[in-house]
Amino acid sequence: MSLRTLKNGIGVTIREAESKDAEKMIAFYNRVGGESDFLSFGEGEFLRPVSEYEVFLASVKQEQNSLIVVTEKEEKIISIASITSSQNPRNKHVGTLGIVVENAYSGLGLGRQLIIELIEWARMNKQTKKIELVTREDNQRAISLYKQLGFQTEGLKEKDTYINGVYYNTMLMGLHLQKEAETKVC
């Protein structure tokens, strides 16, 4: 657990998510889903049973190459950030970054702090060699942050998301944590 101070002087706690957080995390996702169309789910659309999500959180906690953290203000979740990875030997070196920050705490440096901490954690876990993420192509604020932190554009999925009668493209981005000297091209 670590204490952080946001740009506006508000103190928050960042800690690893636990199974007992499942209900609060689901409620958080369902609440903030209505705050932005940049998420992959809308308000009330994060439909996972609490018992299933508890099992998921417990399994992630056991994986050396996956981490989910929650940020709390007075025991209320205000952000969830994660790097989750496959346990398949051919793909376990790749972690997928996900981050959701409640609108009231957006723009205060929390997202940047969380991503930097997750990148550092990934560098140290001895398995993760690449972090990937997806974001809507028109989410310029997020794309700018990702690029500042070293992520590069890797591709585009056209008309990947459909919201309120409009199709949006999804940008694929990646960050290589170490250059693989032994990478072979066949």
Side-chain angles (χ1 to χ4, degrees):
M1 180 162 47
S2 64
L3 301 174
R4 294 285 189 273
T5 303
L6 304 181
K7 287 180 182 178
N8 63 357
I10 291 176
V12 297
T13 303
I14 301 171
R15 64 173 177 79
E16 187 172 358
E18 300 178 26
S19 293
K20 66 180 177 135
D21 297 316
E23 190 169 359
K24 284 173 58 174
M25 291 172 74
I26 292 169
F28 168 80
Y29 283 136
N30 281 315
R31 181 171 42 84
V32 300
E35 294 182 347
S36 171
D37 281 339
F38 289 129
L39 300 175
S40 62
F41 51 88
E43 184 175 10
E45 293 180 357
F46 194 82
L47 305 175
R48 295 205 47 191
V50 173
S51 59
E52 179 185 303
Y53 206 60
E54 287 171 341
V55 171
F56 167 73
L57 292 170
S59 70
V60 166
K61 199 165 174 71
Q62 299 304 311
E63 297 169 359
Q64 183 180 342
N65 59 346
S66 296
L67 176 68
I68 301 175
V69 295
V70 295
T71 305
E72 294 176 313
K73 172 69 177 134
E74 298 170 358
E75 297 187 24
K76 175 189 171 204
I77 294 176
I78 62 166
S79 178
I80 299 173
S82 63
I83 291 181
T84 53
S85 303
S86 169
Q87 298 309 298
N88 177 331
R90 293 184 180 200
N91 305 105
K92 68 188 311 177
H93 67 285
V94 179
T96 301
L97 175 72
I99 184 164
V100 180
V101 177
E102 183 177 330
N103 273 356
Y105 297 91
S106 183
L108 300 176
L110 178 58
R112 175 183 293 275
Q113 282 184 34
L114 290 168
I115 295 170
I116 289 170
E117 286 188 33
L118 286 172
I119 291 170
E120 189 55 34
W121 169 84
R123 287 187 200 285
M124 304 301 288
N125 75 20
K126 302 197 183 339
Q127 285 190 15
T128 306
K129 307 294 184 231
K130 177 184 177 185
I131 301 171
E132 62 185 16
L133 62 86
V134 296
T135 189
R136 263 192 20 205
E137 181 183 37
D138 60 330
N139 191 353
Q140 291 305 313
R141 187 170 163 206
I143 291 168
S144 175
L145 173 60
Y146 299 142
K147 286 183 176 180
Q148 288 171 27
L149 296 176
F151 285 85
Q152 297 179 339
T153 302
E154 294 187 334
L156 189 70
K157 293 171 72 175
E158 294 183 10
K159 296 184 177 181
D160 186 53
T161 306
Y162 183 75
I163 302 170
N164 298 325
V166 179
Y167 289 98
Y168 296 92
N169 297 336
T170 298
M171 183 179 290
L172 310 165
M173 300 184 80
L175 173 66
H176 293 269
L177 299 178
Q178 73 181 46
K179 298 296 180 194
E180 295 289 339
E182 64 275 356
T183 299
K184 295 180 183 177
V185 178
C186 297

